[in-house]
Amino acid sequence: MSIDNHSLETKKNHLLAALPDDEYERIIPHLEPLELTFEKVLIEPEEPITDVYFPHKAVVSLITTMENGSSVEVGIVSNEGMVGIPIILGGNQSTTKAIVQVPDGGLRMKADILKSEFDRGGVLQNLLLRYFQTLYTQVSQGAACNRLHSLEQRLARWLLTVSDRMESDDFPLTQEFIAQMLGVRRSGVTVAAKALSQDGIIHYSRGNISIQDRKALEATSCECYQVMKDEFDRLLGKGF
């Protein structure tokens, strides 16, 4: 891949695109394009993080799994950020699994190189720390949401978040995968999705979801979606 084409690839990730020219040019040679395929595991829990990832429009779920095998999504990463955030915090392992839920392209970088660039200070360090705060808000607000709000509200919030990350109202998602992400039985997702479909808010067919009425979906969602969105806009909106 030529330098010009490589540069265009990095621009697909908003965090990288927000870097000033000097920092941007310094890390380009260390970024490797790759396809982030469906259900590809990028990070396993309690294993050394050797690479970090900057998705394009791929959506990566951060999953917590219990001893009995049940799991729930605690965060989402896409073109706004980076998979492998523990590296910048001084750790080299994660308690969560990072798995691709919506496929697309991305960029991979050696974790030790990213840490060296982060330790230089500058805009990259500032952006990553601000991004970490938005991720923290996702996790903490999501914990409250999962405990206090209905499945229909949570599903609406989750679909809106995925839509924002993909910058599209149409995306491939199976009910089985949604159930795994929300930590509920598939039958519960079926009921909630059917209610949204009957109200004309979404259309679901053969593993694809299309948001038909975004305002109605936002009204169905709990306040958690807006809290997360406002925090993202406050910390990263202008820089992106």
Side-chain angles (χ1 to χ4, degrees), residues 40-57:
K40 180 180 179 65
V41 176
L42 305 182
I43 293 176
E44 288 279 11
E46 299 181 1
E47 290 189 5
I49 299 174
T50 58
D51 299 286
V52 297
Y53 301 84
F54 298 89
H56 295 159
K57 290 187 178 180

Side-chain angles (χ1 to χ4, degrees), residues 83-149:
V83 179
I85 205 72
I87 286 297
I88 71 167
L89 304 174
N92 69 339
Q93 292 183 347
S94 174
T95 58
T96 59
K97 174 186 289 188
I99 183 171
V100 179
Q101 63 166 270
V102 178
D104 194 69
L107 294 160
R108 177 169 56 195
M109 184 179 190
K110 290 298 180 184
D112 57 346
I113 295 176
L114 187 278
K115 183 60 166 61
S116 295
E117 291 296 324
F118 177 83
D119 289 342
R120 284 174 176 256
V123 176
L124 178 63
Q125 183 184 87
N126 181 266
L127 282 173
L128 285 172
L129 289 174
R130 285 156 58 192
Y131 170 65
F132 170 69
Q133 187 169 342
T134 69
L135 194 59
Y136 174 79
T137 300
Q138 261 198 73
V139 174
S140 58
Q141 193 72 30
C145 184
N146 289 340
R147 173 65 179 84
L148 300 173
H149 295 142

Side-chain angles (χ1 to χ4, degrees), residues 6-228:
H6 201 161
S7 181
L8 289 174
E9 287 292 301
T10 64
K11 292 291 186 181
K12 294 179 181 179
N13 180 277
H14 300 324
L15 193 153
L16 294 176
L19 292 173
D21 291 344
D22 58 336
E23 295 187 40
Y24 182 78
E25 295 295 332
R26 192 168 62 236
I27 68 172
I28 282 180
H30 304 292
L31 294 165
E32 173 193 0
L34 78 163
E35 286 299 311
L36 299 177
T37 55
F38 177 60
E39 292 191 329
K40 180 180 179 65
V41 176
L42 305 182
I43 293 176
E44 288 279 11
E46 299 181 1
E47 290 189 5
I49 299 174
T50 58
D51 299 286
V52 297
Y53 301 84
F54 298 89
H56 295 159
K57 290 187 178 180
V59 179
V60 180
S61 288
L62 307 180
I63 306 294
T64 292
T65 303
M66 301 302 173
E67 288 184 354
N68 65 359
S70 60
S71 61
V72 66
E73 179 186 81
V74 296
I76 289 177
V77 182
S78 188
N79 57 10
E80 85 293 347
M82 182 193 82
V83 179
I85 205 72
I87 286 297
I88 71 167
L89 304 174
N92 69 339
Q93 292 183 347
S94 174
T95 58
T96 59
K97 174 186 289 188
I99 183 171
V100 179
Q101 63 166 270
V102 178
D104 194 69
L107 294 160
R108 177 169 56 195
M109 184 179 190
K110 290 298 180 184
D112 57 346
I113 295 176
L114 187 278
K115 183 60 166 61
S116 295
E117 291 296 324
F118 177 83
D119 289 342
R120 284 174 176 256
V123 176
L124 178 63
Q125 183 184 87
N126 181 266
L127 282 173
L128 285 172
L129 289 174
R130 285 156 58 192
Y131 170 65
F132 170 69
Q133 187 169 342
T134 69
L135 194 59
Y136 174 79
T137 300
Q138 261 198 73
V139 174
S140 58
Q141 193 72 30
C145 184
N146 289 340
R147 173 65 179 84
L148 300 173
H149 295 142
S150 70
L151 178 55
E152 190 171 336
Q153 288 176 311
R154 291 162 53 200
L155 176 59
R157 183 260 297 174
W158 192 76
L159 292 175
L160 288 166
T161 301
V162 172
S163 174
D164 287 348
R165 298 299 185 266
M166 292 193 65
E167 301 173 1
S168 173
D169 286 335
D170 301 280
F171 37 87
L173 285 173
T174 65
Q175 289 192 11
E176 181 178 0
F177 201 71
I178 294 173
Q180 182 183 6
M181 296 306 98
L182 295 178
V184 299
R185 293 183 177 180
R186 180 177 176 178
S187 58
V189 174
T190 300
V191 172
K194 184 177 181 180
L196 294 176
S197 296
Q198 289 177 338
D199 290 338
I201 297 174
I202 67 169
H203 176 71
Y204 178 82
S205 177
R206 296 181 181 179
N208 288 284
I209 288 179
S210 175
I211 297 175
Q212 304 291 302
D213 189 338
R214 188 177 181 88
K215 288 186 177 180
L217 190 62
E218 290 177 355
T220 302
S221 176
C222 51
E223 69 267 26
C224 298
Y225 168 69
Q226 197 61 46
V227 169
M228 296 178 188

